Amino acid sequence: MGTASGDQPAGASSDKLRHVESMSELPSGAGKISGINAVVLGESLAAEEHDLVYPSAEFSADALVPSPKQYQKMYERSINDPSGFWSEIAETFYWKEKWNPSEVCSENLDVTKGPVQISWFKGGKTNICYNAVDRNIEAGNGDKIAMYWEGNEPGQDGKLTYSELLDRVCQLANYLKSVGVGKGDAVIIYLPMLLELPIAMLACARIGAVHSVVFAGFSADSLAQRIVDCKPKLVITCNAVKRGVKPILLKDIVDAGLAESEKQGVAVGLCLTYENQSAMKREDTKWQAGRDVWWQDVVTSFPTKCDVEWVDAEDPLFLLYTSGSTGKPKGVLHTTGGYMVYSATTFKYAFDYKPSDIYWCTADCGWITGHSYVTYGPLLNGATVLVFEGTPNYPDSGRCWDIVDKWFYNVVGDSRCPISDTWWQTETGGFMITPLPGAWPQKPGSATFPFFGVQPVIVDEKGQEIEGECSGYLCIKKSWPGAFRTLYGDHDRYETTYFKPFAGYYFTGDGCSRDKDGYHWLTGRVDDVINVSGHRIGTAEVESALVSHPQCAEAAVVAVEHEVKGQGIYAFVTLVDGVPYSEELRKSLILTVRNQIGAFAAPDKIHWAPGLPKTRSGKIMRRILRKIASKQLDELGDTSTLADPGVVDQLIALKDC
């Protein structure tokens, strides 16, 4: 067995591993790693998920952080001198006015000591669009490609240089100003992955407006919820998009969402609609005169120069709604200065970015990944980004690699490409625990060690920190620049959800194990949120949609493992008395969820339930439901505390019905 101290792994000569000697002492006091098979990028194949995968000497030599020693030096400074560490990075960007040096960071994460508050670079004025676009042009990179676009159909493509991107952003920004959108106003963006989506985000940021991108797979009801909450000045959408061969009529969904929000007292008087000619012609698009405006008819006539609105570091940048453990989505609010610095820095180091790279992130901008690692992080580094509209299996599975994660390292990557498992959240703004691919060996499936400035701790149920090898609740002590500042319009919920469970810490809602070598392994949500193909879906949202069906009396939703989506949605449904089980009703229940939330939230399984396992106080024992859904019937545990233990046998009997 090879070790991190330079012992020779099977099949590799010692000279190939000389650079590994510098890795004998790993971050966070992990010490020597032993009893594990070691492989080196480009030299041998990883055969087991427990293999320790080392970067090659060539890769490390060229990496921005080439060794654990360099990481440890930078990490320790980021913890011991956060003001100095982050100020030096922030100074590489343009600030119209510099922050107060004595107030680089201000925070209170302890609810027992007053309201939770976080601020970074207080007093500084900047603009993230200027730093992401103008600054690159001024550096002489105006002719560099900022974005390539690959459409749904093979052969559909496009590209924009940084200069061309600025022109497009300024035209839209000028249009937005002409219709009364200004600093602090909300704009909802409901677009597929056309170049117009990041353009719209940047245009809002340029004039100080707050964008809220809504994933264009959400239903009209979900869109209406977000409109009612943030009350936007306008909605930006397109008439339709194709997912493979299937057309999705986005404008129809927006029309229904606007009608529903108006019923709830929030009327939006303007819908800017991009004509996506590859999916639908404008003459086939439903239209409301006086409210609906074609993008191509108005935006392209505006000047390609637009003054920048300089905003405070703590001014809002965007709202992004994420699922919660209640039925109402949470409006996560990120501010400008700290998010700018953090998203740029995490992109640079976690992806070991070099100026010659062409970078592809497959995420949709409707999610935080698309914000931080399609739009802002890459452009702030002057990168060239690929934006992909299509799906990975159209027109066939060869369109995008269908061999990922477990097989990519050996097969597609020819053993040369590092696979990084990162941990972070919508709320964190950027990677929190992540490999730095040239610095230390990776364990497949482990997020490894914390990013600069991040102090993860594992606590027990009483909130006591646990040292060494352990499992528990993942919390963060001390703030970081990319942290969200509040939940829009509901600071009490912000404190209750994230800071009251463990006073003095940010509670992530995730379980975590730390192994004997100091590596972090995320063990899943400890609250009621399911992660389906990267989409965080609150169980309460799905349950609420199911119960809205007139023939559903009660529902409970749990997560199950899914070989493609990571987690699938498994729903236990109790019907109204006298209603028989039927395949038609099963389909109708699933359709209800699709209509109210979106297709991605549709349950994979409806399990008929005459009753649900509840304690005598009425609490649903989800632990038992998870075991039934996962076919772990020999692990049900004690059911004697249930009000009606016989319910469990009934559920098991109906499992395959």
Side-chain angles (χ1 to χ4, degrees):
M1 289 292 185
T3 73
S5 60
D7 293 347
Q8 182 176 334
S13 63
S14 59
D15 61 341
K16 291 178 181 175
L17 286 179
R18 282 175 184 164
H19 70 288
V20 173
E21 293 177 5
S22 66
M23 298 180 181
S24 59
E25 289 296 324
L26 284 164
S28 302
K32 295 182 179 181
I33 294 179
S34 59
I36 192 168
N37 187 48
V39 298
V40 181
L41 284 169
E43 299 294 347
S44 54
L45 298 179
E48 302 290 341
E49 65 177 15
H50 299 300
D51 282 351
L52 197 64
V53 183
Y54 290 92
S56 68
E58 294 77 16
F59 190 98
S60 287
D62 194 42
L64 297 175
V65 182
S67 67
K69 183 177 181 181
Q70 179 64 25
Y71 162 80
Q72 196 71 37
K73 180 180 179 182
M74 295 175 70
Y75 180 76
E76 287 178 358
R77 181 165 182 232
S78 75
I79 300 303
N80 297 329
D81 180 21
S83 295
F85 179 87
W86 289 110
S87 289
E88 285 184 11
I89 294 174
E91 285 170 353
T92 64
F93 298 98
Y94 179 80
W95 297 76
K96 189 70 171 178
E97 295 180 16
K98 192 173 178 180
W99 56 90
N100 186 336
S102 65
E103 295 184 281
V104 175
C105 173
S106 172
E107 66 180 38
N108 173 46
L109 307 188
D110 191 338
V111 292
T112 67
K113 296 180 180 179
V116 173
Q117 67 83 27
I118 297 168
S119 69
W120 282 83
F121 310 113
K122 193 171 183 179
K125 288 185 178 292
T126 189
N127 184 283
I128 197 169
C129 176
Y130 180 87
N131 277 286
V133 188
D134 304 57
R135 191 172 59 102
N136 289 306
I137 297 170
E138 292 168 3
N141 293 318
D143 292 333
K144 182 178 181 178
I145 300 297
M147 290 182 169
Y148 287 105
W149 177 74
E150 181 72 19
N152 179 66
E153 294 287 342
Q156 290 181 340
D157 54 35
K159 59 185 178 181
L160 290 173
T161 64
Y162 272 93
S163 292
E164 291 168 336
L165 175 61
L166 179 59
D167 289 348
R168 298 278 293 276
V169 167
C170 286
Q171 286 184 314
L172 180 57
N174 282 321
Y175 168 77
L176 293 175
K177 290 200 297 184
S178 78
V179 296
V181 178
K183 182 180 178 182
D185 290 332
V187 174
I188 279 194
I189 304 170
Y190 187 78
L191 283 169
M193 288 296 283
L194 305 173
L195 287 177
E196 283 66 27
L197 176 45
I199 286 170
M201 295 166 66
L202 291 162
C204 289
R206 191 172 192 81
I207 62 174
V210 182
H211 62 71
S212 182
V213 182
V214 179
F215 172 57
F218 274 117
S219 68
D221 285 350
S222 293
L223 177 61
Q225 281 184 314
R226 289 151 175 79
I227 291 172
V228 169
D229 194 66
C230 73
K231 302 173 179 58
K233 279 288 186 75
L234 81 159
V235 173
I236 301 176
T237 189
C238 70
N239 52 351
V241 66
K242 281 190 174 180
R243 304 282 189 204
V245 297
K246 182 182 179 182
I248 309 294
L249 307 182
L250 295 184
K251 179 64 164 50
D252 287 3
I253 296 172
V254 171
D255 287 348
L258 290 172
E260 177 59 31
S261 66
E262 190 165 1
K263 289 179 186 176
Q264 298 182 42
V266 178
V268 180
L270 183 59
C271 179
L272 180 65
T273 306
Y274 183 81
E275 182 187 359
N276 189 15
Q277 296 180 358
S278 64
M280 174 184 270
K281 303 301 182 186
R282 66 168 61 190
E283 54 267 24
D284 298 324
T285 305
K286 293 179 182 177
W287 206 247
Q288 182 174 316
R291 184 197 69 187
D292 300 340
V293 179
W294 288 111
W295 176 308
Q296 286 90 333
D297 287 355
V298 292
V299 174
T300 55
S301 64
F302 277 83
T304 56
K305 305 293 182 185
C306 177
D307 290 341
V308 172
E309 180 72 30
W310 301 107
V311 300
D312 290 335
E314 284 300 316
D315 278 343
L317 173 62
F318 65 85
L319 272 174
L320 193 54
Y321 287 86
T322 184
S323 295
S325 55
T326 67
K328 181 184 176 184
K330 301 175 293 190
V332 170
L333 179 67
H334 280 283
T335 53
T336 301
Y339 174 82
M340 177 179 75
V341 172
Y342 197 73
S343 62
T345 308
T346 51
F347 172 84
K348 175 181 177 179
Y349 287 107
F351 293 112
D352 198 49
Y353 170 71
K354 307 297 194 306
S356 60
D357 293 344
I358 295 178
Y359 168 78
W360 181 19
C361 174
T362 61
D364 191 289
C365 288
W367 310 103
I368 187 63
T369 310
H371 283 58
S372 298
Y373 302 121
V374 173
T375 303
Y376 291 118
L379 297 183
L380 287 165
N381 281 277
T384 296
V385 184
L386 174 62
V387 177
F388 179 46
E389 178 196 12
T391 59
N393 59 353
Y394 178 79
D396 56 55
S397 58
R399 186 77 188 275
C400 182
W401 294 307
D402 57 357
I403 304 171
V404 295
D405 293 335
K406 185 177 181 181
W407 305 106
F408 175 87
Y409 167 76
N410 286 337
V411 181
V412 178
D414 193 26
S415 305
R416 292 173 297 155
C417 300
I419 306 297
S420 293
D421 285 299
T422 63
W423 174 82
W424 62 305
Q425 301 172 317
T426 302
E427 294 88 343
T428 70
F431 300 141
M432 297 288 281
I433 305 177
T434 177
L436 300 184
W440 58 72
Q442 298 179 43
K443 294 185 181 183
S446 170
T448 70
F449 301 105
F451 191 71
F452 306 127
V454 177
Q455 298 186 62
V457 294
I458 298 175
V459 302
D460 61 19
E461 291 184 353
K462 296 180 180 179
Q464 298 298 312
E465 292 185 26
I466 315 172
E467 300 296 331
E469 186 176 2
C470 62
S471 292
Y473 301 96
L474 179 62
C475 293
I476 309 294
K477 62 180 180 181
K478 308 294 289 184
S479 70
W480 61 99
F484 74 130
R485 303 303 196 251
T486 190
L487 293 176
Y488 182 69
D490 199 346
H491 198 73
D492 286 344
R493 188 182 182 192
Y494 169 74
E495 293 186 342
T496 299
T497 303
Y498 301 99
F499 298 95
K500 283 188 177 177
F502 302 106
Y505 300 95
Y506 167 76
F507 174 47
T508 69
D510 285 322
C512 184
S513 295
R514 184 172 51 228
D515 67 20
K516 60 183 175 58
D517 301 315
Y519 283 67
H520 294 80
W521 302 78
L522 277 295
T523 56
R525 301 297 296 173
V526 296
D527 58 13
D528 296 324
V529 175
I530 302 174
N531 196 328
V532 179
S533 299
H535 310 328
R536 294 182 68 226
I537 304 165
T539 57
E541 288 183 271
V542 182
E543 291 165 357
S544 178
L546 288 166
V547 172
S548 72
H549 192 287
Q551 293 177 305
C552 177
E554 191 172 27
V557 169
V558 297
V560 291
E561 289 187 8
H562 192 287
E563 62 180 8
V564 175
K565 296 186 288 187
Q567 288 185 311
I569 297 175
Y570 195 110
F572 293 84
V573 173
T574 302
L575 299 179
V576 172
D577 284 347
V579 175
Y581 306 140
S582 70
E583 186 60 28
E584 290 74 24
L585 180 52
R586 191 193 309 270
K587 292 177 180 177
S588 179
L589 288 163
I590 293 172
L591 183 61
T592 297
V593 177
R594 291 173 66 99
N595 289 339
Q596 290 196 23
I597 304 176
F600 61 94
D604 298 278
K605 168 78 173 179
I606 298 288
H607 186 134
W608 302 123
L612 296 172
K614 296 180 181 178
T615 63
R616 290 175 177 83
S617 63
K619 181 180 179 181
I620 296 173
M621 293 287 282
R622 294 177 186 273
R623 169 184 60 80
I624 292 175
L625 295 180
R626 291 188 188 99
K627 295 299 183 183
I628 294 173
S630 301
K631 301 180 180 179
Q632 297 172 316
L633 302 182
D634 57 341
E635 300 177 19
L636 292 176
D638 182 19
T639 61
S640 62
T641 59
L642 296 177
D644 179 11
V647 166
V648 175
D649 292 332
Q650 291 178 304
L651 291 174
I652 293 172
L654 288 167
K655 182 162 182 16
D656 297 317
C657 293

